[in-house]
Amino acid sequence: MSIKQVAKIAGVSIATVSRYLNSPEHVREKTRRKVQEAIRQTGYAPNALARNFRRGRTSLVVVILPSVGDPFFAGVMRGIWRVAREEGYSILIRETQFNTLEFDEYSDIVFSKQADGIILLASTSPFMKEGNGKLGKNGGSKGEKLPPIVIGCEAVAPQLSHYPSVRVDNESAAAEATRHLIRLGHRRIGFISGLHTSLLTRGREQGYRQAMAEAGLKVADNWIAEGRQTLEGARGAVRYLLEQSPRPTAIFCANDEMAMGAMHELRRAGLRIPEDISVLGFDDIRYAEVLDPPLTTIAQPAEEIGEHTMQRLCRAIGGDDIGGEPEIVPHRLVIRESTGAPPED
């Protein structure tokens, strides 16, 4: 079936059918019903590729994330997918595995206008050549213009800090989590961070330090260890913390995956949680509640972050000025059984 036949059955012009397919809000309701009924009768399916070509869009969004297996990012992706389906977008996912992508890996897709927008989930942008101090609107070797970029969660590099983002207030959330441990009586609180080169968990470390300073508590250098945002990294960080004298009575991990690794290593060392040492995480991934013991953590609304990120990108693709300020979504401290009073010295 052709658009001409649809127009004939509906009793309208071809231009009206075309306008309905591209901008139905600009067609009167009575006329819309006629065109809808004609499409239903004929089974007409518009050529999406041709329509997108005419509109100057591809209806494709690139999402770059560190790990597709990360439970937190899986939640964010569910939110992105939900809005993408509603808005008629397809998603192309690229996993970095916490590495920096090469410029040429995605530049052809982006600069040849095969993608309408980009979402970065805790990843460094691949559309930046070495030596560029700041990724601007023109990132191509020939001055090609980048499509809109929105960051889900927080920026991981200073060069990305001017891009719009959707995230929780990491400093405030981490400070609240640390104060919970302090209220329980802990004075020696260790912190397992992410990669030292990344901004991803730096705000959480700042919140931890802020709460410790407010309580007049010292943060010893040997109470902070790098966990690389992974199970294995956290296990190594715990071994390091347990070697310190005095060792921490509580460990705040900058994400739940590291908290899981920390709990595993603490049990291997013969320590009880929370009787001998408390553990606190960040994210509230779906496994947090079923750990043994259930994990006290900061809950991030992962699906909401994904939805708002995709909605903000859609507005930018549509030509709206969405600015560069972060959109802050609420966090929540979830108190479970992995934290308790410190052991008596």
Side-chain angles (χ1 to χ4, degrees), residues 29 67 71 74 79 81 90 102 129 164 174 181-182 195 206 213 225 243 256 266 269 330:
E29 184 178 353
S67 172
W81 277 113
S90 299
E102 294 296 329
K129 288 188 174 180
L181 295 173
I182 294 171
L195 293 166
Q206 290 170 348
E243 292 173 354
D256 284 352
L266 290 169

Side-chain angles (χ1 to χ4, degrees), residues 60 62 92 104-115:
L60 177 68
V62 175
L92 176 63
D104 291 336
E105 287 187 66
Y106 261 45
S107 60
D108 289 343
I109 292 176
V110 172
F111 295 133
S112 62
K113 303 187 186 306
Q114 295 179 48

Side-chain angles (χ1 to χ4, degrees), residues 233-256:
R235 292 180 63 184
V238 165
R239 289 193 292 270
Y240 168 79
L241 292 173
L242 293 181
E243 292 173 354
Q244 308 312 311
S245 181
R247 73 186 186 199
T249 61
I251 299 176
F252 179 11
C253 302
N255 71 17
D256 284 352

Side-chain angles (χ1 to χ4, degrees), residues 301-313:
E303 292 192 27
E304 183 179 345
I305 289 174
E307 289 174 353
H308 288 207
T309 300
M310 187 64 195
Q311 288 166 353
R312 200 165 180 184
L313 183 65

Side-chain angles (χ1 to χ4, degrees), residues 6-7 9-10 33-44:
V6 172
I9 292 173
R33 288 199 298 267
K34 289 181 179 179
V35 176
Q36 288 168 351
E37 178 60 22
I39 289 174
R40 189 193 66 78
Q41 290 181 26
T42 61
Y44 173 73

Side-chain angles (χ1 to χ4, degrees), residues 45 102 162-163 237 256 263 285:
E102 294 296 329
H162 65 296
Y163 279 101
D256 284 352
M263 292 171 71
I285 61 175

Side-chain angles (χ1 to χ4, degrees), residues 76-86 89-91 93:
V76 177
M77 284 304 306
R78 283 194 294 273
I80 291 174
W81 277 113
R82 187 175 300 122
V83 175
R85 284 196 299 269
E86 293 172 356
Y89 284 95
S90 299
I91 300 295
I93 297 176

